[in-house]
Amino acid sequence: MTSVVSKLILILVIYLECGVECTSKYEVGVTENIPGVIPRLCLSLGELSCTENGDTFESAVYEYEGIPCYPPGVVSTCEERLNVANEVWKGTAPFCHPSETACEDASMDEVLTARCDGRDGTCCWTGLPERRLCYPRDGEDPVDVPHINTGLECAMCDVFGFICDVTTELEPDQLFLDGDHARCLPPSPVRLKDRHSHHLSVISYNVYEIPYPVGQFGQRERVCRIPNRLFEEHPEVDVIIFQEVFLGGCGYEFGVSLRDLLAANGFLYTTATVGDPPELYLRPYNGGIFIASKWQILSENSTVFSPVGPSDDIYLAKGVAYAKIEKSFQGRSKVYHIFGTHLQYTPLGEAHTMFDVMRVLQVQEMAQFIVEQNIPKSEPVIVGGDFNADTYNNMYHEHRDEIFEILGARMPNIIGNWYTTYDSDLIPGIFVGAEREWIDYVLTLKDHQQPSSSNLRSFRLVTHDYDRILYCYPDTVYTDFIFPPITESENCISAIDLSDHFPVIGTFIFPN
Ligand SMILES: *[C@@H]1O[C@H](CO)[C@@H](O)[C@H](O)[C@H]1NC(C)=O
């Protein structure tokens, strides 16, 4: 993650007291004022914050509780429209796309168009047509108009690497993104490979699924593709440690989250995300870290780091996830202890030293947390994640070694053709000036059962067919996903990579 995170904001919706007589009012756009940090306050979208819900804009103010809004901030007060009995929204989120005559076709009256229904919380994706609100006509029964696929909107599915489903019936457990004219199914599950229970393959992957106010980095387009592409490259993988899944991935609010896609591919078990739900006051976002497993998770635990450096990490509840996993295959089973983390990053252009101190403090907490889990010495412990401590450049080895030392960790031999896990030369234009680094690891702990063989490999994960994905840094703050193509394109580059990091895979064979 880079300094662009400085655009992180938290939009709060506050409902105001209202008596029986009036319609409800609510305020949009107040951010928390975090002590010691420049306040980024009041970033509502003004009138749009109300009208996108189909409600009425009432007023806006430029200060909140006496604190001036951080320019050009504003807090909007909206008045909720009254519901009419049997009203119907036409156009199903997220794609919406109701026909021009959607209300008329149903023998109803169109009263307004809006992007969201504030009451059910789902919105059409920004950049797509809005829904239409239809009211019943006096003495006339609405006509039930069936949904149809026109074929035209099937191209929308390509945006996510999904397949357009043109049948009308779907199996109950099929995952799909649904709209009036587009039903997008993820590609068929990949056939996974099972290996003996004393073999373990663990991937660590920082997927760069950053909250939208920071930018439009193809978060959905990439994460919707990630499970399939990971399993195609490494069908033997047993465990995946994810970082930077701050939102939930893909169509998280429509039942097609990263976890749903993993489950559809046979990774039925996942831990909770570290720091989720976040403490709204101090750290408005969760830690983005979780562990996914093909094998049953017997127990899990997590901790949130207390030390955090003066950087955008203050908004994130980063820490450590722990999963005790039992791999069972052909009548044999073995227990593994997996820890996943994401240590403090060094903001671009800042001196490493101060952030080295933070990482050391964090990893001390991590080591303590591991000890507190009382794991028998005879059982293997695997620790992975984005350590933000570099192996590529010799200059940083001392710091990396200190971190490994605190954990009592051993790095497997690196094999393969890639010598980086984060590479601004390979993904040009994304992070101009960023260093080439190897900062992602899967390690074993020396105090526990040792593997008889192990190795670590970085691999580049790109889209199928080299589909290009836009990474954009728009000047305007958008609080959610904009459906491509983004109109404001001067700050966009396109890439085939599915994250700004490469995944790493650690492969271990243990004595039985
Ligand atoms: C989680 O870890 C903490 C130590 O950090 C420990 O006190 C607690 O008992 C653990 N919880 C479970 C369910 O194991």
Side-chain angles (χ1 to χ4, degrees):
M1 169 149 43
T2 68
S3 55
V4 287
V5 182
S6 59
K7 273 204 270 171
L8 270 181
I9 57 162
L10 171 67
I11 302 263
L12 293 182
V13 175
I14 299 169
Y15 281 86
L16 306 176
E17 292 275 340
C18 183
V20 195
E21 292 299 298
C22 61
T23 55
S24 296
K25 290 183 186 175
Y26 60 94
E27 279 179 350
V28 186
V30 185
T31 63
E32 289 287 355
N33 188 10
I34 298 169
V37 180
I38 300 169
R40 298 183 182 89
L41 291 171
C42 317
L43 286 163
S44 106
L45 299 171
E47 185 166 344
L48 194 59
S49 295
C50 308
T51 55
E52 73 168 10
N53 288 327
D55 295 328
T56 314
F57 171 77
E58 199 181 76
S59 58
V61 291
Y62 297 88
E63 61 162 51
Y64 193 73
E65 290 176 350
I67 304 168
C69 290
Y70 190 65
V74 53
V75 178
S76 304
T77 303
C78 313
E79 189 173 323
E80 272 191 1
R81 68 183 169 76
L82 287 168
N83 280 45
V84 164
N86 302 319
E87 66 180 29
V88 178
W89 284 101
K90 297 285 182 183
T92 318
F95 297 119
C96 296
H97 260 259
S99 78
E100 290 288 329
T101 56
C103 292
E104 185 62 40
D105 296 347
S107 293
M108 298 176 89
D109 290 324
E110 182 173 323
V111 284
L112 62 89
T113 59
R115 196 168 77 82
C116 312
D117 174 3
R119 290 162 184 79
D120 75 6
T122 57
C123 295
C124 313
W125 282 335
T126 308
L128 292 174
E130 299 178 323
R131 318 161 178 230
R132 298 173 191 276
L133 182 63
C134 315
Y135 282 179
R137 290 174 183 156
D138 275 348
E140 213 175 325
D141 284 338
V143 176
D144 192 19
V145 184
H147 292 185
I148 44 153
N149 289 295
T150 63
L152 180 66
E153 289 84 0
C154 277
M156 292 174 161
C157 303
D158 296 347
V159 169
F160 310 98
F162 277 24
I163 296 151
C164 188
D165 181 274
V166 290
T167 65
T168 47
E169 294 300 317
L170 286 163
E171 299 296 321
D173 59 350
Q174 270 182 297
L175 301 177
F176 61 96
L177 280 171
D178 196 13
D180 260 16
H181 300 94
R183 287 175 139 182
C184 308
L185 278 168
S188 310
V190 176
R191 182 182 285 275
L192 303 179
K193 280 189 195 141
D194 288 331
R195 285 190 184 154
H196 294 298
S197 57
H198 60 285
H199 287 229
L200 197 77
S201 292
V202 179
I203 286 177
S204 173
Y205 195 17
N206 179 330
V207 300
Y208 197 41
E209 195 228 15
I210 304 283
Y212 289 109
V214 183
Q216 299 280 328
F217 312 134
Q219 288 94 323
R220 288 188 199 276
E221 299 90 315
R222 294 182 292 99
V223 178
C224 287
R225 288 171 165 88
I226 280 174
N228 222 261
R229 290 294 298 118
L230 268 184
F231 294 130
E232 282 177 349
E233 293 295 319
H234 285 286
E236 77 283 14
V237 63
D238 297 292
V239 174
I240 310 171
I241 302 166
F242 286 103
Q243 302 92 48
E244 295 198 359
V245 184
F246 294 110
L247 306 173
C250 197
Y252 52 88
E253 66 286 57
F254 306 105
V256 196
S257 68
L258 175 56
R259 281 182 174 80
D260 295 320
L261 293 168
L262 290 165
N265 278 281
F267 268 57
L268 299 178
Y269 308 98
T270 55
T271 66
T273 301
V274 172
D276 195 36
E279 325 156 28
L280 275 188
Y281 183 62
L282 281 176
R283 291 176 174 180
Y285 288 99
N286 68 53
I289 304 152
F290 74 91
I291 299 170
S293 170
K294 188 160 89 173
W295 313 102
Q296 198 184 349
I297 296 180
L298 300 178
S299 65
E300 63 175 280
N301 206 342
S302 69
T303 187
V304 172
F305 294 133
S306 358
V308 53
S311 63
D312 304 306
D313 272 7
I314 59 167
Y315 298 108
L316 314 171
K318 284 157 77 172
V320 186
Y322 164 51
K324 178 180 176 183
I325 285 164
E326 184 173 34
K327 176 168 180 178
S328 301
F329 183 62
Q330 292 182 341
R332 305 191 70 151
S333 68
K334 183 165 177 64
V335 167
Y336 295 93
H337 302 269
I338 316 286
F339 291 85
T341 193
H342 188 182
L343 301 180
Q344 170 75 50
Y345 85 108
T346 306
L348 207 59
E350 301 269 351
H352 274 257
T353 2
M354 170 171 16
F355 297 91
D356 287 352
V357 173
M358 272 319 141
R359 280 183 283 273
V360 165
L361 291 172
Q362 290 180 343
V363 95
Q364 281 168 350
E365 279 195 1
M366 180 168 178
Q368 178 63 27
F369 175 71
I370 295 174
V371 166
E372 286 167 2
Q373 307 313 311
N374 293 316
I375 299 166
K377 302 275 185 221
S378 57
E379 295 179 359
V381 176
I382 287 164
V383 172
D386 175 354
F387 285 55
N388 278 307
D390 186 25
T391 283
Y392 179 75
N393 189 330
N394 292 342
M395 191 173 124
Y396 300 121
H397 282 190
E398 200 181 317
H399 175 55
R400 177 205 62 182
D401 292 345
E402 186 182 6
I403 283 181
F404 289 2
E405 180 74 34
I406 295 165
L407 286 171
R410 172 178 288 134
M411 181 165 74
N413 285 334
I414 289 179
I415 59 164
N417 303 323
W418 295 111
Y419 299 98
T420 57
T421 66
Y422 183 94
D423 201 323
S424 51
D425 292 348
L426 274 173
I427 315 180
I430 293 186
F431 298 119
V432 178
E435 293 174 70
R436 309 181 80 178
E437 302 173 304
W438 181 305
I439 53 179
D440 301 271
Y441 300 95
V442 181
L443 314 167
T444 50
L445 293 198
K446 293 181 200 167
D447 259 7
H448 290 267
Q449 191 191 26
Q450 292 305 291
S452 47
S453 92
S454 65
N455 59 60
L456 181 63
R457 175 198 291 269
S458 163
F459 58 101
R460 190 173 177 187
L461 200 69
V462 300
T463 56
H464 253 301
D465 307 325
Y466 305 105
D467 294 341
R468 300 203 77 88
I469 289 173
L470 286 179
Y471 288 66
C472 298
Y473 300 85
D475 292 330
T476 318
V477 171
Y478 291 98
T479 54
D480 58 14
F481 172 65
I482 312 174
F483 197 86
I486 294 175
T487 44
E488 182 189 5
S489 63
E490 66 271 26
N491 294 322
C492 292
I493 64 132
S494 75
I496 55 172
D497 293 85
L498 291 177
S499 176
D500 63 337
H501 283 242
F502 306 139
V504 291
I505 182 162
T507 304
F508 306 92
I509 301 174
F510 288 91
N512 280 349

